[in-house]
Amino acid sequence: MADNTITVVGNLTRDPEIRYTAGGQANAKLAVAVSRRWNNKQTNEWEERTSFFNVVVWGEMADHCSESLQKGNRVIVTGRLEQRSWETEQGEKRSVVEIVADEVAPSLRWATAEVKRTERREGGNFGGNSGGNAGGKSGGGNSGGRESSNEPAPAYDGFGDEEPF
């Protein structure tokens, strides 16, 4: 089985955008810029390249991101890559590769953060369906699995023909 886990560390390029599906499921979109800087040995000058990643966050974690993060914050995102396709109103086929987040956290490299624990919601989605608790409740904290719920994993239903960002 192939592992599809990715971790990126970068800065938010805009405030999180939160929406809710018709069923009430929270969904937040983040945009993360990851810059790499190096000294070119031939020219002895610094060079920089920036990559941009779209991140999708589901459930209670989406609410937390919306309440806690803002443009410019340095974040650490761990998740999986997923490709999504749709057709525009003009009949053009489009696709995008996004990171579906299992964990999102502020980076403490150049900042401090205050952690406020929230009450857990029973039967809710706590960050996707990978990782896990093997079908039962996990002991302390969440390891990315679904808490004792028989609900299917979140899908992009409710966002229909919507283009990313």
Side-chain angles (χ1 to χ4, degrees):
M1 181 170 170
D3 190 11
N4 180 10
T5 301
I6 182 170
T7 299
V8 295
V9 179
N11 291 26
L12 293 180
T13 63
R14 64 176 171 266
D15 290 343
E17 298 174 26
I18 190 155
R19 295 185 183 172
Y20 296 88
T21 65
Q25 179 80 3
N27 170 277
K29 293 181 181 180
L30 311 177
V32 180
V34 179
S35 296
R36 185 172 80 94
R37 189 171 181 218
W38 68 94
N39 190 306
N40 184 325
K41 301 286 186 197
Q42 295 173 345
T43 64
N44 203 28
E45 293 189 18
W46 287 98
E47 295 184 19
E48 185 172 336
R49 180 166 299 139
T50 303
S51 299
F52 297 90
F53 297 92
N54 294 331
V55 179
V56 178
V57 185
W58 287 97
E60 193 172 7
M61 187 167 53
D63 288 323
H64 295 168
C65 287
S66 177
E67 293 170 14
S68 304
L69 300 174
Q70 61 188 6
K71 177 180 177 177
N73 287 152
R74 187 171 175 87
V75 295
I76 303 165
V77 176
T78 300
R80 63 190 180 279
L81 293 174
E82 283 193 7
Q83 183 174 2
R84 178 169 62 97
S85 300
W86 71 97
E87 193 170 305
T88 67
E89 291 179 7
Q90 295 77 26
E92 299 169 324
K93 295 182 188 249
R94 302 279 173 94
S95 68
V96 66
V97 175
E98 301 167 314
I99 300 172
V100 177
D102 291 322
E103 295 284 343
V104 178
S107 170
L108 300 180
R109 185 170 186 176
W110 295 300
T112 61
E114 181 180 332
V115 177
K116 297 178 186 174
R117 187 167 178 98
T118 61
E119 286 191 35
R120 297 176 87 173
R121 296 181 195 162
E122 286 300 315
N125 177 355
F126 294 91
N129 62 353
S130 65
N133 54 17
K137 287 197 172 202
S138 56
N142 180 353
S143 58
R146 296 177 57 79
E147 289 292 319
S148 65
S149 173
N150 293 326
E151 295 176 22
Y156 288 103
D157 297 343
F159 295 99
D161 297 332
E162 178 183 311
E163 295 184 32
F165 296 90

